[in-house]
Amino acid sequence: MEAIILVGGFGTRLRPLTYTVPKPLLPLANIPMVERMVRNLPPIFDTAILAVNYGLEEMEKYFENKNIGKKIIIVPEEEPLGTGGAMRNCIEHVTGTVAVFNGDVVSSINLEEMLEQHIKENAKGTLALWEVDDPSRFGVVELKGNKIMQFQEKPEKGTEVSNLINAGTYLLELEILEMIPPNQKISIERDIYPKIAGNRLYGFPFEGYFIDSGTPESYLEANFKSLGKDGTASHSGASIRGNCLIDKNVKLIDCIIGPNAIIGPGVKLEKCVIRNSVILSEVEGYGCVIENSIIGPKILLKEDKKQALIAPEGEITF
Ligand code: GTP
């Protein structure tokens, strides 16, 4: 069975990081987002199809000669085709029911249960749904039983038909991909799903966690969620507080790390304090306190705060 992973967006909300590293190759707990997603696919999936526009060269280079237990097919788009156009562009590699993922979603969804429901209902499409307190910034879905009756785009407060939003994970029959006009910019959420609401389109609400890791704040959150409880217990050059992950190729001298710190390969830090932050590869720093920030890659942290690339609500002091 194939899974299409949509990894072609510009990642504008994570600029300037995404100027140098395409969002799907940004790490979550030191493993690139897209690789993590492929590794997490249940065994029933033997092939991951990556729909790529922005970052094509980097993606091809990354997956060249890399064995992660699934066949990887990279499908380029000359122009960004939107979520619907991008999946339509992959159709020649799809042999039947296909799973489609927004490449930046980190969630606890149980795909095997979702597939069971999809088959049982004889669905054309099944959309994973997530409940939120305030759905007014999202695409909202009305369910009757498991059937999707209608969609509402960013409803005004008080007019929302439910609190369930589209969680960016779908199971689709080929006939839905065939409905999408080829070589055109199409949004599956806005241009296709509303047309088939009420016609064998189902929802699969799930609980646990759902993070769209596309903003600095949610990228940090997704990192700590991906880290789970598998942190590094100790390091000879640092006192470690709470749950942290430090790559084996990191040099630390006289540092305090954590809670919630992830440090990538090639990093060298001396007399630094790192809390609630992600330090990407090959960052070097001396004498600073970093909080609630994403740094790097390849940043030299030396008495110049401007060089710290993204600090959502963060603080860097020297
Ligand atoms: P922002 O620019 O920060 O909104 O990020 P983004 O470009 O990733 O857009 P968004 O988060 O809305 O996209 C959701 C998912 O669809 C992401 O995994 C994107 O990589 C992917 N995506 C969005 N547009 C396209 C496209 O035109 N082609 C392909 N292949 N993927 C896309």
Side-chain angles (χ1 to χ4, degrees):
M1 187 173 173
E2 295 89 21
I4 297 174
I5 308 182
L6 302 175
V7 283
F10 288 111
T12 50
R13 292 165 299 162
L14 280 176
R15 285 178 182 166
L17 283 179
T18 45
Y19 283 131
T20 48
V21 186
K23 182 164 69 174
L25 292 179
L26 281 176
L28 292 175
N30 287 350
I31 298 176
M33 252 182 230
V34 58
E35 177 177 343
R36 211 169 247 289
M37 193 165 252
V38 175
R39 286 187 186 277
N40 286 342
L41 288 172
I44 187 170
F45 292 91
D46 54 16
T47 304
I49 304 169
L50 311 183
V52 188
N53 172 252
Y54 181 70
L56 175 65
E57 241 174 70
E58 290 91 334
M59 202 80 72
E60 285 178 333
K61 195 161 163 222
Y62 186 79
F63 283 103
E64 203 183 357
N65 304 323
K66 199 167 186 84
N67 183 0
I68 50 175
K70 312 267 182 205
K71 182 175 174 191
I72 305 280
I73 301 174
I74 294 182
V75 178
E77 287 157 50
E78 276 176 27
E79 295 293 324
L81 291 173
T83 49
M87 58 181 90
R88 177 65 170 84
N89 198 39
C90 297
I91 201 165
E92 66 174 290
H93 303 289
V94 176
T95 55
T97 309
V98 64
V100 182
F101 301 88
N102 281 0
D104 50 7
V105 165
V106 174
S107 82
S108 56
I109 190 160
N110 185 325
L111 268 183
E112 278 150 336
E113 278 178 19
M114 185 171 167
L115 186 59
E116 231 171 77
Q117 178 189 304
H118 181 82
I119 294 167
K120 193 179 108 225
E121 302 283 16
N122 187 28
K124 260 200 247 190
T126 303
L127 281 57
L129 303 177
W130 178 250
E131 193 173 332
V132 293
D133 290 336
D134 175 12
S136 59
R137 289 183 297 119
F138 302 96
V140 177
V141 173
E142 185 193 1
L143 277 190
K144 192 169 167 193
N146 288 329
K147 275 192 185 150
I148 294 184
M149 304 311 289
Q150 65 160 317
F151 291 86
Q152 228 185 355
E153 198 50 38
K154 301 194 173 85
E156 266 182 44
K157 264 202 174 150
T159 66
E160 53 277 71
V161 289
S162 83
N163 280 13
L164 294 169
I165 63 163
N166 176 351
T169 300
Y170 319 119
L171 289 169
L172 304 177
E173 293 305 303
L174 253 175
E175 57 186 292
I176 293 198
L177 294 195
E178 283 162 354
M179 276 179 66
I180 305 171
N183 306 315
Q184 283 183 37
K185 188 162 188 180
I186 303 279
S187 156
I188 191 84
E189 303 88 337
R190 284 190 291 275
D191 303 325
I192 304 295
Y193 290 151
K195 287 193 188 140
I196 48 175
N199 182 8
R200 288 174 53 212
L201 196 62
Y202 288 81
F204 180 76
F206 68 100
E207 289 177 355
Y209 58 88
F210 164 73
I211 307 165
D212 158 359
S213 51
T215 67
E217 291 80 359
S218 63
Y219 175 66
L220 276 180
E221 190 189 351
N223 263 280
F224 303 135
K225 189 53 98 175
S226 303
L227 168 59
K229 295 190 173 24
D230 311 328
T232 312
S234 66
H235 190 284
S236 59
S239 156
I240 295 185
R241 316 267 157 93
N243 202 24
C244 299
L245 180 66
I246 301 172
D247 185 86
K248 60 181 184 323
N249 181 22
V250 165
K251 192 166 174 196
L252 301 175
I253 301 172
D254 210 4
C255 292
I256 300 175
I257 306 291
N260 288 333
I262 296 175
I263 305 196
V267 171
K268 293 180 187 158
L269 299 173
E270 185 171 350
K271 296 192 189 311
C272 292
V273 178
I274 316 284
R275 294 189 202 105
N276 291 312
S277 295
V278 172
I279 312 296
L280 298 177
S281 59
E282 295 173 54
V283 169
E284 294 190 24
Y286 180 88
C288 52
V289 179
I290 296 173
E291 295 190 86
N292 305 319
S293 301
I294 306 157
I295 309 287
K298 295 185 182 161
I299 296 293
L300 183 62
L301 284 168
K302 251 190 175 173
E303 298 185 4
D304 179 0
K305 292 186 200 179
K306 284 193 203 118
Q307 293 194 45
L309 279 188
I310 294 192
E313 294 202 358
E315 226 180 275
I316 293 140
T317 41
F318 290 89

